[in-house]
Amino acid sequence: MIDTHSHINFEEYKNNFEDFLLRINKADVEKVIIPGVDNKTFQEISDLANQYDMLYFATGTHPSEAKTYKKEDMLPFLKNKKNVAIGEIGLDYYWETETKELQKEIFNSQLEIAQEYQLPVIIHDREAHQDSYEILKDYKLKDVVYHCFSGTKEFAKKCLDKGYYIAIGGIVTFKNAKDLKETAQFAPLDRILLETDAPYLAPVPFRGKLNSPEYLIYIAQEIANLRNIDVEEVKNQTTLNAKRVFNF
Ligand code: NI
């Protein structure tokens, strides 16, 4: 499996990092993509990716860090062969720590870069489905991944119609996640990606604890249960999907 979104550069994982990677590998996760959050993270995540074969990274400024954004900070990292995407970028109207106007401005700027470099984008969309969709539709992007998908079934249909990918995380294992369970059931399997979004949103039975790529199997298993298919099929197809999107 490939964990397409995991912040394992965070402080929580720094102790015995190499043992941690071995455990991830034993849990059947062959690759992990570490998304960028702001310009302070780019050097660190590219260093990790260059040091360890199984790690890759994405360059991008999260909407909550919009004030720190400078286009020229990103550019040196885009030619690194372990940079596989622009992300995480998007809109966050839940916290709205930055104005919608500024969030949209840096979102557009980063989408222009993704279009120019023909890199896939990893989208953070929190309570901003309509606006993120409206902005994205004007670009010719290699691929669009809705990270930690949180829309309704209807919104998932709109995204799938556009050819976007739906990345599913630990929330799908939560009892009350009716919408996401529905999406995990009906979306074509060749358009679903797996992610943990560690350290956040650990799947059941670890809900509320520190998350880890080691728990990716619990997400794959829940999707398999919902679709009434073998977990191996979910593992194989989502791995192929990630390889296609991120050019592995
Ligand atoms: Ni994230």
Side-chain angles (χ1 to χ4, degrees), residues 33-39 41-43 45-46 56-62 69-71 73-80 82-89 110 113-114 119-122:
I33 300 174
I34 310 176
V37 174
D38 61 26
N39 54 11
T41 55
F42 303 158
Q43 191 63 52
I45 61 181
S46 68
Y56 294 79
F57 73 102
T59 307
T61 298
H62 188 285
Y69 176 73
K70 281 197 211 87
K71 180 180 174 182
D73 290 340
M74 290 177 69
L75 301 181
F77 296 95
L78 302 182
K79 297 227 166 83
N80 187 310
K82 305 284 305 270
N83 179 82
V84 293
I86 301 286
E88 58 185 295
I89 62 173
Q110 294 180 95
I113 298 170
L119 283 163
V121 292
I122 299 168

Side-chain angles (χ1 to χ4, degrees), residues 83-107:
N83 179 82
V84 293
I86 301 286
E88 58 185 295
I89 62 173
L91 302 170
D92 195 317
Y93 294 173
Y94 177 77
W95 294 108
E96 210 184 329
T97 45
E98 302 294 347
T99 64
K100 290 180 181 172
E101 199 181 21
L102 182 63
Q103 291 188 38
K104 285 181 188 171
E105 186 187 315
I106 77 148
F107 187 29

Side-chain angles (χ1 to χ4, degrees), residues 5-7 10 35-37 62 88 122 124 147-148 195-200:
H5 194 114
S6 189
H7 300 277
F10 283 12
V37 174
H62 188 285
E88 58 185 295
I122 299 168
H124 173 102
H147 138 67
C148 196
E195 63 164 56
T196 57
D197 201 16
Y200 315 110

